[in-house]
Amino acid sequence: MPRSINRRTFLSTAAATGATLTAPSVLRAATGEPFTLMDHLKPREVKIARKHKFEPGQIVVTLQAFYLYHMQDERTAIRYGVAVGKEGLNFRGDASIDRKVEWPNWTPTQDMIERNPGYARWEDGMPGGPNNPLGSRALYLYQDGKDTLFRIHGTNVPGSIGTPSSNGCIRMYNPHVEHLYSVLPIGTKVTVF
């Protein structure tokens, strides 16, 4: 049964569960065990409080709660668990999806290379594929026609879903981003807070 959600619920849910999300997921990934997304991070239909004025089709990301919402109408959304950027690395605000790519190449930014010099080996780009950190699909966020360098993308580390672990992009479980890729048109509005 759909639940009503609001910003307070987003924040309290994240605070209540944040400490337990990381270790078991990372451990499973490191041991090669089959990955299973935790129940609260699986897609589900939820109700949105009336005070929010989101548009049908819009994407809304709540960084502190680790959720992405695909608005179905003004009050109903499909909620997905996501990984977000580490503290201080997140995009916030409004953007639009102006480019979509299957099995995208990954090129670390200069800031990413400075934070992690090991990324320098990929400064000319890493080809798309199962080992690529952008996963199977990428939705590129633009503002005023300019690439923000932030993405909603898949991941080759599904155990990171539900954690602040990226360099600022919004990571999704590959099957979930593949679904969004197939239904979201170019120009889709995205709001991240």
Side-chain angles (χ1 to χ4, degrees):
M1 179 156 214
R3 303 186 336 205
S4 179
I5 56 175
N6 59 36
R7 187 172 171 87
R8 179 173 286 142
T9 302
F10 294 157
L11 300 178
S12 64
T13 301
T17 60
T20 62
L21 296 178
T22 324
S25 299
V26 172
L27 180 60
R28 277 195 303 275
T31 60
E33 292 180 30
F35 176 74
T36 302
L37 197 62
M38 292 184 218
D39 285 341
H40 73 282
L41 298 171
K42 292 179 181 177
R44 71 175 42 142
E45 184 176 287
V46 294
K47 290 292 183 188
I48 304 299
R50 288 187 192 277
K51 66 181 178 178
H52 298 293
K53 303 293 183 196
F54 301 130
E55 304 166 11
Q58 182 176 352
I59 296 295
V60 178
V61 179
T62 57
L63 297 170
Q64 291 182 337
F66 307 107
Y67 289 129
L68 177 148
Y69 298 83
H70 180 208
M71 299 303 299
Q72 304 300 294
D73 57 41
E74 292 84 2
R75 297 237 18 252
T76 308
I78 304 299
R79 184 185 76 191
Y80 299 85
V82 295
V84 301
K86 297 171 189 166
E87 185 65 35
L89 300 180
N90 288 302
F91 169 85
R92 293 177 191 272
D94 293 322
S96 61
I97 296 171
D98 288 3
R99 183 173 175 227
K100 301 181 345 178
V101 177
E102 293 184 33
W103 294 107
N105 289 337
W106 173 65
T107 304
T109 65
Q110 194 57 46
D111 286 344
M112 291 169 68
I113 293 170
E114 287 173 15
R115 285 191 301 273
N116 184 340
Y119 289 162
R121 72 184 226 198
W122 302 111
E123 66 186 343
D124 294 326
M126 174 191 277
N131 294 321
N132 186 300
L134 295 185
S136 62
R137 304 290 184 273
L139 308 170
Y140 292 68
L141 303 183
Y142 281 68
Q143 286 182 321
D144 302 319
K146 294 181 181 173
D147 188 350
T148 65
L149 302 180
F150 290 94
R151 321 279 183 242
I152 298 170
H153 63 77
T155 182
N156 61 356
V157 185
S160 68
I161 303 301
T163 70
S165 54
S166 80
N167 279 292
C169 290
I170 298 147
R171 292 182 189 166
M172 298 184 75
Y173 188 42
N174 279 334
H176 301 165
V177 77
E178 289 168 12
H179 173 72
L180 286 182
Y181 179 95
S182 73
V183 300
L184 294 178
I186 295 293
T188 296
K189 182 177 179 180
V190 177
T191 299
V192 181
F193 65 92

